[in-house]
Amino acid sequence: MSSTGTMLGVAVPAAVLGAAGFGLASAVQQRATKQVPTSRTLDPRLLWDLVRKPIWVLSIGTVLAGLALQMVALAFGPLVLVQPLLVTSVLFGAVFAAGMAHRKLDRVLVLGALAVMAGLAVFLLLARPAGEGTGFTASADVRPLAVLLAVVVVGCVLAANRFPGEVRVLSLALATGVLYGVTAGLIKVVAEQLRHGGIAEPFTQPSLYVVCALGPVGFLLSQNTFQQGKFISPALAVITAVDPLVGMAIGVSWLGERIETSPPALVGQAFAAMALLVGIWVLTHRGEHLRRVAEMRAG
């Protein structure tokens, strides 16, 4: 088998299994967050309440397994391959959530999840990022993108604290997706450091420590998101759509990767982005409709 075939033979199964792990963990965590008092955004007491739920604690193991598989996939496969496969966590999450709630899987939610997955996958495949992405380039200025992403996260957190309902949920999901995207981009760097420099190399570079700082914040925001949302699909769709897009922006801006900018590719990317947005819209509105129906039946 060629070296490329070996890389894909490792990266693809690892990415799909990682996506399944993330989907299962998200479904479990969304269910567990409903069983504890509602907390304010970024309030660490939410984690204190959750850690006393055994099923939530077990889900952390699933998250760690998913992260390990993601690191393996990113070490052996390109970002453009791994990230679209990880988006399948939207569908895995919807299936697991429906199973744990003992209800039928809503077809409209499934179609919306498939639209998100297809739109994002086509977008990334048409963008075709190229380059090794093994580390920060000498000419990279991280400040413009870092400031933009920080402004988005802070703005989303402020909006979540100000507005209720779906605006709050989607704001939290967007902030979570941005932080996860930054973390994923830096995990790519750490994975390459491990692969080429050995186990000690990441500890001599700042990327690992930034991951350790941003990862817990993104995780806490995700728990806030799951607690506020009635159904898992809308929030998880936003998180998993924003995550790879931010990762791709980091790859291009910081790691020296390149994307396809020919007119046909840009047109295709625009249509793929529209499909992605339509999928998120369907998930959001269908989830809100099902929430209202469930409240009417309960009342």
Side-chain angles (χ1 to χ4, degrees):
M1 182 181 291
S2 66
S3 59
T4 300
T6 301
M7 290 172 63
L8 296 183
V10 174
V12 171
V16 173
L17 289 173
F22 289 141
L24 175 59
S26 298
V28 171
Q29 290 164 6
Q30 197 239 12
R31 189 174 181 84
T33 55
K34 302 297 186 182
Q35 301 171 1
V36 298
T38 302
S39 66
R40 293 177 298 176
T41 303
L42 291 177
D43 187 345
R45 285 180 295 183
L46 174 60
L47 297 181
W48 174 248
D49 291 333
L50 289 170
V51 79
R52 289 178 285 180
K53 296 286 183 182
I55 190 172
W56 185 87
V57 175
L58 288 175
S59 76
I60 301 303
T62 308
V63 171
L64 294 176
L67 286 173
L69 289 165
Q70 182 184 20
M71 182 172 287
V72 170
L74 287 172
F76 286 90
L79 195 65
V80 68
L81 170 70
V82 173
Q83 292 304 99
L85 291 173
L86 289 175
V87 174
T88 57
S89 62
V90 177
L91 191 54
F92 282 120
V95 172
F96 287 131
M100 286 187 292
H102 303 289
R103 56 177 170 80
K104 292 182 179 180
L105 190 62
D106 186 79
R107 293 181 180 179
V108 177
L109 289 180
V110 171
L111 290 175
L114 291 174
V116 171
M117 291 162 49
L120 184 59
V122 171
F123 180 89
L124 291 175
L125 289 172
L126 290 175
R128 292 192 300 174
E132 294 298 324
T134 56
F136 295 101
T137 61
S139 60
D141 185 358
V142 303
R143 290 172 296 181
L145 181 59
V147 170
L148 174 61
L149 295 177
V151 168
V152 171
V153 171
V154 172
C156 287
V157 172
L158 293 175
N161 286 326
R162 181 179 178 86
F163 301 103
E166 290 301 310
V167 174
R168 174 177 170 81
V169 174
L170 296 182
S171 296
L172 290 172
L174 178 57
T176 302
V178 170
L179 290 176
Y180 278 4
V182 175
T183 302
L186 295 178
I187 284 176
K188 171 68 174 175
V189 176
V190 173
E192 291 293 342
Q193 292 168 352
L194 277 170
R195 188 179 176 200
H196 297 290
I199 190 67
E201 178 63 20
F203 294 95
T204 66
Q205 304 295 332
S207 301
L208 176 62
Y209 301 102
V210 176
V211 168
C212 292
L214 293 182
V217 177
F219 180 73
L220 179 55
L221 278 176
S222 73
Q223 302 310 291
N224 287 135
T225 306
F226 295 148
Q227 186 177 57
Q228 295 295 324
K230 180 68 176 178
F231 291 88
I232 191 174
S233 297
L236 192 57
V238 173
I239 292 171
T240 52
V242 173
D243 177 347
L245 294 178
V246 171
M248 187 175 68
I250 288 174
V252 172
S253 300
W254 296 353
L255 308 182
E257 294 185 349
R258 301 174 301 279
I259 61 172
E260 179 63 52
T261 58
S262 65
L266 291 176
V267 171
Q269 291 169 32
F271 279 106
M274 289 175 60
L276 188 155
L277 293 174
V278 168
I280 292 176
W281 181 87
V282 169
L283 287 172
T284 302
H285 285 263
R286 182 62 174 177
E288 180 65 16
H289 168 73
L290 292 176
R291 181 189 66 80
R292 291 195 298 267
V293 170
E295 289 178 349
M296 289 175 61
R297 289 177 177 175

